[in-house]
Amino acid sequence: MSFGDMTRINTNLQALQAYTYLQRTNTELGLRQLRLATGSRINRAEDDSAGYSIAAKLKAKIRGQEQALANIGDAKSLLTVAEGSLNSIMEILQTMKEKAVQAANDTMGTSERAAIKNQLDALAAEIDDIVGETEFNGTALFTSSTLTFQVNAEQGDIFQVTIGSLSASGLSLASLDVSSASSAGSAISKIDAAIQTVADKLADIGDYQKRLSFKLDNLATAKDNYEAARSRIADADFAYEQMQLAKLQILQQTGVAALAQANVAPQAILQLFG
């Protein structure tokens, strides 16, 4: 660093040096003020190119995880809809069993069994109605198709669910014969099998929901950890920035004073002409 020669006034080197350092201080001061205003340590790629790249990728992953959390919530809602329908079907099956047991008693006459038969047919039709009306955003749930849910931010992070098709005929409940105690006994057996099938589906849905709950908790924890990593890279440390700001403000004031003094100093050469 050159300090200049006080007897050469055509180039005021001391003033130039003071001005240069004042400009540096002002630039650094502006950077610290920007960080405090935005809360971000990296506001432009030039602030920290490597950190900017890492933070941008982390932010993309975090946003993907946030959407995946919403996806899991939607998946659980879908399964809840299916569960509600299955519970309604289970109640119908329990009513059907009650009626079939009633028909299996020889105290029932022909007309009573015919009335029970009509009730059973109506209840079986209601099962088909419930199945047909159970959908989520236009997607029928009781089909043999496999439903796929994106449960994390990367390709292949999926969770698949198969609820399976369901119908009165598939449950062997269409046109149950309760015209005699013996045939009513056979109807009871068919209804029991249907109850077991629906119970199994409810158990499967419960397992799916439990797994999704675990995935939800794990993903929420992972997102928090990624957010902490991104924050450490990209967010401003307010205590540190405020400390630096105070120092730079002092340097700015002393820099202005030094520049003023450097501009005045060459006037001393006038004394040589007295």
Side-chain angles (χ1 to χ4, degrees), residues 29-66:
L29 187 62
L31 175 61
R32 303 296 175 177
Q33 289 172 332
L34 178 62
R35 288 177 177 176
L36 288 172
T38 63
S40 297
R41 186 182 72 86
I42 305 174
N43 293 284
R44 302 163 298 179
E46 68 177 88
D47 293 341
D48 182 352
S49 57
Y52 183 87
S53 176
I54 295 170
K57 288 186 287 187
L58 285 173
K59 185 62 177 177
K61 187 175 185 68
I62 290 165
R63 291 182 63 175
Q65 289 176 325
E66 288 172 346

Short mmCIF file of all heavy atoms in Angstrom, two decimals, residues 29-66:
data_model
loop_
_atom_site.label_atom_id
_atom_site.label_comp_id
_atom_site.label_asym_id
_atom_site.label_seq_id
_atom_site.Cartn_x
_atom_site.Cartn_y
_atom_site.Cartn_z
N LEU A 29 -21.59 -2.67 3.90
CA LEU A 29 -22.68 -2.19 4.74
C LEU A 29 -24.03 -2.44 4.06
O LEU A 29 -24.99 -2.88 4.69
CB LEU A 29 -22.50 -0.70 5.03
CG LEU A 29 -23.46 -0.06 6.04
CD1 LEU A 29 -23.32 -0.70 7.41
CD2 LEU A 29 -23.20 1.43 6.13
N GLY A 30 -24.09 -2.18 2.75
CA GLY A 30 -25.32 -2.43 2.01
C GLY A 30 -25.68 -3.90 2.00
O GLY A 30 -26.87 -4.26 2.10
N LEU A 31 -24.67 -4.77 1.90
CA LEU A 31 -24.91 -6.21 1.91
C LEU A 31 -25.50 -6.65 3.25
O LEU A 31 -26.47 -7.43 3.29
CB LEU A 31 -23.60 -6.96 1.64
CG LEU A 31 -23.65 -8.49 1.73
CD1 LEU A 31 -24.63 -9.05 0.71
CD2 LEU A 31 -22.25 -9.08 1.53
N ARG A 32 -24.92 -6.15 4.35
CA ARG A 32 -25.43 -6.52 5.68
C ARG A 32 -26.85 -6.01 5.89
O ARG A 32 -27.70 -6.70 6.47
CB ARG A 32 -24.51 -5.95 6.77
CG ARG A 32 -23.06 -6.38 6.67
CD ARG A 32 -22.88 -7.87 6.83
NE ARG A 32 -21.49 -8.25 6.62
CZ ARG A 32 -21.01 -9.48 6.76
NH1 ARG A 32 -21.83 -10.45 7.10
NH2 ARG A 32 -19.74 -9.75 6.54
N GLN A 33 -27.13 -4.81 5.42
CA GLN A 33 -28.47 -4.25 5.56
C GLN A 33 -29.48 -5.05 4.74
O GLN A 33 -30.62 -5.26 5.17
CB GLN A 33 -28.47 -2.79 5.14
CG GLN A 33 -27.75 -1.87 6.12
CD GLN A 33 -27.58 -0.46 5.62
OE1 GLN A 33 -27.51 -0.22 4.41
NE2 GLN A 33 -27.51 0.50 6.54
N LEU A 34 -29.06 -5.50 3.56
CA LEU A 34 -29.94 -6.32 2.73
C LEU A 34 -30.26 -7.65 3.42
O LEU A 34 -31.40 -8.11 3.41
CB LEU A 34 -29.28 -6.58 1.37
CG LEU A 34 -30.06 -7.48 0.40
CD1 LEU A 34 -31.40 -6.86 0.05
CD2 LEU A 34 -29.23 -7.76 -0.86
N ARG A 35 -29.25 -8.25 4.02
CA ARG A 35 -29.47 -9.52 4.72
C ARG A 35 -30.44 -9.35 5.88
O ARG A 35 -31.29 -10.20 6.13
CB ARG A 35 -28.13 -10.08 5.21
CG ARG A 35 -27.25 -10.62 4.10
CD ARG A 35 -25.90 -11.09 4.62
NE ARG A 35 -25.11 -11.67 3.55
CZ ARG A 35 -23.86 -12.10 3.69
NH1 ARG A 35 -23.25 -11.97 4.87
NH2 ARG A 35 -23.20 -12.62 2.67
N LEU A 36 -30.29 -8.23 6.60
CA LEU A 36 -31.21 -7.98 7.71
C LEU A 36 -32.62 -7.69 7.21
O LEU A 36 -33.61 -8.03 7.86
CB LEU A 36 -30.69 -6.81 8.56
CG LEU A 36 -29.45 -7.09 9.40
CD1 LEU A 36 -28.92 -5.81 10.02
CD2 LEU A 36 -29.74 -8.13 10.48
N ALA A 37 -32.72 -7.05 6.05
CA ALA A 37 -34.03 -6.72 5.50
C ALA A 37 -34.76 -7.94 4.95
O ALA A 37 -35.98 -8.08 5.09
CB ALA A 37 -33.89 -5.67 4.40
N THR A 38 -34.00 -8.86 4.34
CA THR A 38 -34.63 -10.03 3.71
C THR A 38 -34.63 -11.26 4.60
O THR A 38 -35.41 -12.19 4.39
CB THR A 38 -33.91 -10.38 2.40
OG1 THR A 38 -32.54 -10.76 2.69
CG2 THR A 38 -33.92 -9.21 1.44
N GLY A 39 -33.73 -11.28 5.59
CA GLY A 39 -33.60 -12.47 6.43
C GLY A 39 -32.80 -13.57 5.77
O GLY A 39 -32.65 -14.66 6.33
N SER A 40 -32.25 -13.30 4.59
CA SER A 40 -31.50 -14.31 3.83
C SER A 40 -30.03 -13.94 3.76
O SER A 40 -29.69 -12.79 3.47
CB SER A 40 -32.06 -14.45 2.41
OG SER A 40 -33.39 -14.90 2.44
N ARG A 41 -29.18 -14.92 4.00
CA ARG A 41 -27.74 -14.69 3.86
C ARG A 41 -27.35 -14.64 2.40
O ARG A 41 -26.43 -13.90 2.01
CB ARG A 41 -26.96 -15.81 4.57
CG ARG A 41 -25.45 -15.60 4.60
CD ARG A 41 -24.74 -16.75 5.26
NE ARG A 41 -24.75 -17.93 4.42
CZ ARG A 41 -23.83 -18.17 3.47
NH1 ARG A 41 -22.85 -17.32 3.25
NH2 ARG A 41 -23.90 -19.28 2.75
N ILE A 42 -28.05 -15.43 1.58
CA ILE A 42 -27.75 -15.49 0.14
C ILE A 42 -28.93 -14.88 -0.61
O ILE A 42 -30.01 -15.48 -0.68
CB ILE A 42 -27.53 -16.94 -0.32
CG1 ILE A 42 -26.42 -17.61 0.52
CG2 ILE A 42 -27.19 -16.99 -1.79
CD1 ILE A 42 -26.23 -19.08 0.22
N ASN A 43 -28.74 -13.69 -1.14
CA ASN A 43 -29.79 -13.03 -1.90
C ASN A 43 -29.53 -13.08 -3.40
O ASN A 43 -30.45 -12.87 -4.19
CB ASN A 43 -29.92 -11.58 -1.44
CG ASN A 43 -30.43 -11.46 -0.02
OD1 ASN A 43 -31.61 -11.65 0.23
ND2 ASN A 43 -29.54 -11.18 0.92
N ARG A 44 -28.29 -13.31 -3.77
CA ARG A 44 -27.90 -13.46 -5.17
C ARG A 44 -26.90 -14.60 -5.26
O ARG A 44 -26.23 -14.93 -4.28
CB ARG A 44 -27.27 -12.18 -5.69
CG ARG A 44 -28.16 -10.94 -5.60
CD ARG A 44 -27.35 -9.68 -5.75
NE ARG A 44 -26.37 -9.57 -4.67
CZ ARG A 44 -25.50 -8.55 -4.58
NH1 ARG A 44 -25.48 -7.61 -5.48
NH2 ARG A 44 -24.65 -8.51 -3.58
N ALA A 45 -26.79 -15.19 -6.43
CA ALA A 45 -25.87 -16.31 -6.60
C ALA A 45 -24.43 -15.90 -6.28
O ALA A 45 -23.65 -16.70 -5.76
CB ALA A 45 -25.96 -16.85 -8.02
N GLU A 46 -24.07 -14.63 -6.57
CA GLU A 46 -22.70 -14.19 -6.33
C GLU A 46 -22.37 -14.11 -4.85
O GLU A 46 -21.20 -14.10 -4.46
CB GLU A 46 -22.47 -12.84 -6.99
CG GLU A 46 -23.23 -11.68 -6.36
CD GLU A 46 -22.90 -10.36 -7.02
OE1 GLU A 46 -23.55 -10.01 -8.01
OE2 GLU A 46 -21.97 -9.70 -6.53
N ASP A 47 -23.39 -14.06 -3.98
CA ASP A 47 -23.12 -14.02 -2.54
C ASP A 47 -22.42 -15.29 -2.07
O ASP A 47 -21.55 -15.26 -1.20
CB ASP A 47 -24.42 -13.83 -1.76
CG ASP A 47 -25.04 -12.46 -1.99
OD1 ASP A 47 -24.31 -11.56 -2.43
OD2 ASP A 47 -26.25 -12.32 -1.76
N ASP A 48 -22.84 -16.42 -2.63
CA ASP A 48 -22.25 -17.74 -2.30
C ASP A 48 -22.76 -18.71 -3.35
O ASP A 48 -23.82 -19.31 -3.18
CB ASP A 48 -22.65 -18.17 -0.89
CG ASP A 48 -22.03 -19.50 -0.49
OD1 ASP A 48 -21.41 -20.16 -1.34
OD2 ASP A 48 -22.20 -19.90 0.68
N SER A 49 -22.04 -18.85 -4.44
CA SER A 49 -22.53 -19.64 -5.58
C SER A 49 -22.79 -21.10 -5.20
O SER A 49 -23.81 -21.68 -5.57
CB SER A 49 -21.56 -19.57 -6.75
OG SER A 49 -20.26 -20.02 -6.36
N ALA A 50 -21.86 -21.70 -4.44
CA ALA A 50 -22.04 -23.09 -4.03
C ALA A 50 -23.22 -23.22 -3.07
O ALA A 50 -24.07 -24.11 -3.22
CB ALA A 50 -20.77 -23.62 -3.38
N GLY A 51 -23.29 -22.32 -2.10
CA GLY A 51 -24.39 -22.34 -1.14
C GLY A 51 -25.72 -22.10 -1.82
O GLY A 51 -26.74 -22.71 -1.47
N TYR A 52 -25.73 -21.19 -2.81
CA TYR A 52 -26.96 -20.90 -3.54
C TYR A 52 -27.47 -22.15 -4.25
O TYR A 52 -28.67 -22.45 -4.23
CB TYR A 52 -26.69 -19.78 -4.56
CG TYR A 52 -27.90 -19.34 -5.33
CD1 TYR A 52 -28.75 -18.35 -4.83
CD2 TYR A 52 -28.21 -19.90 -6.56
CE1 TYR A 52 -29.87 -17.94 -5.53
CE2 TYR A 52 -29.33 -19.50 -7.27
CZ TYR A 52 -30.15 -18.52 -6.76
OH TYR A 52 -31.26 -18.13 -7.45
N SER A 53 -26.56 -22.88 -4.89
CA SER A 53 -26.94 -24.10 -5.60
C SER A 53 -27.49 -25.16 -4.66
O SER A 53 -28.53 -25.77 -4.92
CB SER A 53 -25.72 -24.65 -6.36
OG SER A 53 -26.03 -25.88 -6.98
N ILE A 54 -26.80 -25.35 -3.54
CA ILE A 54 -27.23 -26.36 -2.57
C ILE A 54 -28.58 -25.98 -1.97
O ILE A 54 -29.49 -26.80 -1.86
CB ILE A 54 -26.18 -26.53 -1.46
CG1 ILE A 54 -24.89 -27.10 -2.03
CG2 ILE A 54 -26.70 -27.44 -0.35
CD1 ILE A 54 -23.72 -27.07 -1.06
N ALA A 55 -28.72 -24.70 -1.60
CA ALA A 55 -29.97 -24.24 -0.98
C ALA A 55 -31.14 -24.36 -1.95
O ALA A 55 -32.26 -24.70 -1.55
CB ALA A 55 -29.82 -22.80 -0.50
N ALA A 56 -30.89 -24.06 -3.24
CA ALA A 56 -31.96 -24.15 -4.23
C ALA A 56 -32.44 -25.59 -4.39
O ALA A 56 -33.65 -25.85 -4.48
CB ALA A 56 -31.48 -23.61 -5.58
N LYS A 57 -31.50 -26.53 -4.40
CA LYS A 57 -31.88 -27.95 -4.52
C LYS A 57 -32.61 -28.43 -3.27
O LYS A 57 -33.58 -29.19 -3.36
CB LYS A 57 -30.64 -28.80 -4.80
CG LYS A 57 -30.09 -28.62 -6.21
CD LYS A 57 -28.96 -29.58 -6.51
CE LYS A 57 -27.70 -29.20 -5.79
NZ LYS A 57 -26.55 -30.03 -6.21
N LEU A 58 -32.14 -27.97 -2.11
CA LEU A 58 -32.82 -28.33 -0.87
C LEU A 58 -34.24 -27.77 -0.84
O LEU A 58 -35.18 -28.44 -0.40
CB LEU A 58 -32.03 -27.83 0.33
CG LEU A 58 -30.76 -28.60 0.69
CD1 LEU A 58 -30.00 -27.88 1.79
CD2 LEU A 58 -31.10 -30.02 1.13
N LYS A 59 -34.39 -26.53 -1.33
CA LYS A 59 -35.72 -25.91 -1.34
C LYS A 59 -36.66 -26.68 -2.26
O LYS A 59 -37.84 -26.88 -1.92
CB LYS A 59 -35.60 -24.45 -1.80
CG LYS A 59 -36.92 -23.69 -1.74
CD LYS A 59 -37.46 -23.61 -0.32
CE LYS A 59 -38.72 -22.79 -0.23
NZ LYS A 59 -39.29 -22.76 1.13
N ALA A 60 -36.16 -27.12 -3.41
CA ALA A 60 -36.98 -27.90 -4.33
C ALA A 60 -37.42 -29.21 -3.67
O ALA A 60 -38.58 -29.63 -3.80
CB ALA A 60 -36.21 -28.19 -5.61
N LYS A 61 -36.50 -29.84 -2.95
CA LYS A 61 -36.84 -31.09 -2.27
C LYS A 61 -37.87 -30.85 -1.17
O LYS A 61 -38.82 -31.62 -1.01
CB LYS A 61 -35.58 -31.73 -1.68
CG LYS A 61 -35.81 -33.13 -1.11
CD LYS A 61 -34.52 -33.75 -0.66
CE LYS A 61 -34.74 -35.19 -0.20
NZ LYS A 61 -35.11 -36.10 -1.31
N ILE A 62 -37.68 -29.77 -0.43
CA ILE A 62 -38.60 -29.44 0.66
C ILE A 62 -40.01 -29.19 0.12
O ILE A 62 -41.00 -29.67 0.67
CB ILE A 62 -38.09 -28.23 1.46
CG1 ILE A 62 -36.83 -28.61 2.25
CG2 ILE A 62 -39.17 -27.70 2.40
CD1 ILE A 62 -36.06 -27.43 2.78
N ARG A 63 -40.09 -28.44 -0.98
CA ARG A 63 -41.41 -28.17 -1.57
C ARG A 63 -42.06 -29.45 -2.09
O ARG A 63 -43.28 -29.64 -1.98
CB ARG A 63 -41.28 -27.13 -2.68
CG ARG A 63 -40.92 -25.75 -2.15
CD ARG A 63 -40.84 -24.72 -3.25
NE ARG A 63 -42.13 -24.54 -3.93
CZ ARG A 63 -42.36 -23.62 -4.86
NH1 ARG A 63 -41.37 -22.80 -5.22
NH2 ARG A 63 -43.54 -23.51 -5.42
N GLY A 64 -41.22 -30.34 -2.63
CA GLY A 64 -41.75 -31.63 -3.05
C GLY A 64 -42.27 -32.44 -1.88
O GLY A 64 -43.31 -33.10 -1.96
N GLN A 65 -41.53 -32.38 -0.77
CA GLN A 65 -41.96 -33.10 0.44
C GLN A 65 -43.24 -32.51 1.01
O GLN A 65 -44.10 -33.25 1.51
CB GLN A 65 -40.84 -33.09 1.47
CG GLN A 65 -39.65 -33.95 1.11
CD GLN A 65 -38.52 -33.84 2.10
OE1 GLN A 65 -38.28 -32.78 2.67
NE2 GLN A 65 -37.81 -34.93 2.32
N GLU A 66 -43.37 -31.19 0.93
CA GLU A 66 -44.60 -30.56 1.41
C GLU A 66 -45.80 -31.06 0.61
O GLU A 66 -46.87 -31.33 1.17
CB GLU A 66 -44.48 -29.04 1.31
CG GLU A 66 -43.54 -28.45 2.36
CD GLU A 66 -43.29 -26.97 2.13
OE1 GLU A 66 -43.63 -26.47 1.04
OE2 GLU A 66 -42.74 -26.31 3.04
#
